[in-house]
Amino acid sequence: MRLDVQLMIYVYMGICLSLLIFNVFYILVDSSRSRRMKNPGSHLKKLRARVEEYSATGQMPEEWHADNRRNLSHISRLERFHWSMEKLLEEMPEQANTYLAACERDFRYLAPIYQGREELEQAYFAKLLELYGMGRGKEYDELKQVLTEMACSSSIYTRENALQTLYKTGSTEAVCQAFFKMSSRDVFHYGKLLTEGLLRFQGDKILLAAELWRSREELKNEYVLAVMQFIRMSQEGYEEEFLRILKDKAADQEIRLEAVRYFRRYRYEPAYPVLLEIMYSSESIGWEYLAMTALSLENYPGDETVKALKSALTSYNWYVRYNAADTLVRAFQLKRSDLSDVLNGKDKYARDILNYMLQRSERGGEGE
């Protein structure tokens, strides 16, 4: 029995030693590979010579294209190309960018190859396309088709990198196609990322908003919401359509709330009575509507608005009271004398929130 225990100990020690040797070997190999990537040596020298020759002649031999297609299909060589090009972009940015433009046909050739690779390789390739500014133009060509497929990936990195590249191309059709495909395939992507990406679009934002809005029936609610946020943050002109949504009690709650936010940013007189109606409605409508409407009413000053907001100070919900008090004091600049009826009233919570807002205002906004 004792021999068996000793044997197990020796086996365990052997396994631990083997793991230690493997880890040390892996670290050394990885470190060596990293140094080669960041200090590509002969590859950098060769690439620099090509960049200089192309800058001088404006000609790229077919053998260079063939070499790119053959070598850059290997991820390790693509990484080496990336590190070398980074150094050349620092040393000679104009010549390096001109050379990269000439290499775009090779990257177009590689796109469907990397589309079939594992997720990290797809994400890396899509990122390089963005960094190198490839695929620009309105035409929905083969490269943009590959990117729209990558946008439907199960990996958030691949999706986001592909989308960022599409936004940079300035192609309205490509971005719309990506959104339609992602929505139809039930691809989840964070709404904040979608909205921020649309705002970074380098083409005609007015046209992009119009196309996405016109075809919103093809989009699921989370994508429609991102489009509405994009519209709110970038342009007016959708007042009538957003008001129609606001009036539709059967519409998705988040979408209706976004319509309320729109009318906080863009004053639209026909929306005013609808906002007041929400403010006076039963709280069964949901505190979110009341809280957001209390902020949106800052765009519609007047006695009736003040009356509605004072009524909201008695809400059971803290956010509704807070937003109503914020609009009264910060936006409308009302003083204690203007709010004496509430400050001397019976509702303790209304008095407390108003006193807090007034004190904060008197301190010059401290504590915000």
Side-chain angles (χ1 to χ4, degrees), residues 306-323:
V306 171
K307 180 182 176 183
L309 291 170
K310 284 182 177 180
S311 174
L313 292 172
T314 64
S315 169
Y316 76 93
N317 185 274
W318 182 86
Y319 292 100
V320 177
R321 298 196 304 273
Y322 183 93
N323 288 356

Side-chain angles (χ1 to χ4, degrees), residues 43-108:
H43 183 271
L44 175 60
K45 183 178 179 180
K46 177 181 177 181
L47 189 58
R48 182 186 288 111
R50 286 188 173 183
V51 169
E52 289 173 345
E53 183 177 340
Y54 181 75
S55 179
T57 64
Q59 300 294 322
M60 180 175 285
E62 284 301 319
E63 64 184 80
W64 291 8
H65 288 296
D67 186 51
N68 282 339
R69 296 178 181 188
R70 181 176 59 255
N71 287 316
L72 300 186
S73 62
H74 300 279
I75 190 65
S76 60
R77 295 175 186 176
L78 183 64
E79 288 179 291
R80 192 177 298 122
F81 177 89
H82 177 202
W83 285 110
S84 299
M85 188 53 68
E86 274 200 341
K87 292 181 180 296
L88 293 180
L89 285 168
E90 292 175 1
E91 293 177 17
M92 47 180 74
E94 186 176 346
Q95 296 97 315
N97 277 308
T98 303
Y99 179 82
L100 279 172
C103 291
E104 180 166 336
R105 61 184 262 195
D106 303 325
F107 277 82
R108 288 177 175 274

Side-chain angles (χ1 to χ4, degrees), residues 68-339:
N68 282 339
R69 296 178 181 188
R70 181 176 59 255
N71 287 316
L72 300 186
S73 62
H74 300 279
I75 190 65
S76 60
R77 295 175 186 176
L78 183 64
E79 288 179 291
R80 192 177 298 122
F81 177 89
H82 177 202
W83 285 110
S84 299
M85 188 53 68
E86 274 200 341
K87 292 181 180 296
L88 293 180
L89 285 168
E90 292 175 1
E91 293 177 17
M92 47 180 74
E94 186 176 346
Q95 296 97 315
N97 277 308
T98 303
Y99 179 82
L100 279 172
C103 291
E104 180 166 336
R105 61 184 262 195
D106 303 325
F107 277 82
R108 288 177 175 274
Y109 173 86
L110 293 167
I113 295 175
Y114 275 94
Q115 182 187 357
R117 299 287 179 78
E118 62 181 38
E119 297 291 356
L120 285 178
E121 291 190 21
Q122 287 188 50
Y124 182 62
F125 184 78
K127 186 64 179 178
L128 288 187
L129 292 177
E130 182 202 351
L131 291 175
Y132 298 155
M134 294 182 176
R136 293 186 180 180
K138 297 179 180 180
E139 182 185 357
Y140 185 53
D141 53 28
E142 292 84 356
L143 177 59
K144 295 185 182 73
Q145 290 174 28
V146 169
L147 288 166
T148 58
E149 288 296 326
M150 287 184 176
C152 297
S153 166
S154 59
S155 164
I156 186 173
Y157 301 106
T158 305
R159 290 198 306 272
E160 185 61 12
N161 289 353
L163 286 170
Q164 289 301 323
T165 306
L166 289 173
Y167 299 139
K168 198 168 183 178
T169 66
S171 171
T172 297
E173 184 179 0
V175 173
C176 288
Q177 287 297 324
F179 270 54
F180 298 150
K181 286 184 179 182
M182 292 169 72
S183 179
S184 67
R185 299 179 190 181
D186 290 322
V187 175
F188 171 78
H189 202 64
Y190 292 100
K192 182 177 174 60
L193 293 177
L194 291 172
T195 302
E196 290 178 350
L198 291 171
L199 288 169
R200 285 195 290 269
F201 180 64
Q202 294 190 8
D204 188 335
K205 287 187 174 69
I206 294 176
L207 177 61
L208 177 62
E211 288 298 314
L212 286 170
W213 187 251
R214 183 179 61 82
S215 304
R216 64 186 179 278
E217 297 299 327
E218 298 182 40
L219 298 173
K220 290 188 167 54
N221 284 340
E222 54 266 36
Y223 288 91
V224 174
L225 183 60
V227 172
M228 292 178 71
Q229 290 170 344
F230 165 55
I231 290 171
R232 170 169 57 88
M233 295 178 188
S234 63
Q235 58 201 271
E236 54 186 330
Y238 288 79
E239 291 83 359
E240 185 177 343
E241 295 179 70
F242 278 37
L243 180 56
R244 193 177 302 118
I245 289 173
L246 184 57
K247 290 179 177 179
D248 182 7
K249 296 181 181 180
D252 179 79
Q253 177 172 308
E254 288 297 323
I255 288 177
R256 287 188 74 199
L257 281 172
E258 186 55 36
V260 175
R261 294 186 185 97
Y262 185 86
F263 294 118
R264 182 188 182 190
R265 189 177 183 96
Y266 303 106
R267 179 184 172 89
Y268 185 55
E269 205 59 39
Y272 180 47
V274 182
L275 295 173
L276 282 179
E277 181 185 346
I278 292 174
M279 207 74 250
Y280 282 125
S281 65
S282 165
E283 295 195 354
S284 62
I285 191 175
W287 67 264
E288 298 93 339
Y289 286 104
L290 300 177
M292 184 51 60
T293 302
L295 291 177
S296 296
L297 283 172
E298 71 177 37
N299 213 12
Y300 307 84
D303 292 342
E304 191 60 38
T305 302
V306 171
K307 180 182 176 183
L309 291 170
K310 284 182 177 180
S311 174
L313 292 172
T314 64
S315 169
Y316 76 93
N317 185 274
W318 182 86
Y319 292 100
V320 177
R321 298 196 304 273
Y322 183 93
N323 288 356
D326 181 62
T327 300
L328 288 168
V329 176
R330 175 191 55 78
F332 293 166
Q333 298 290 304
L334 297 187
K335 307 300 181 185
R336 289 184 180 275
S337 57
D338 304 311
L339 302 166

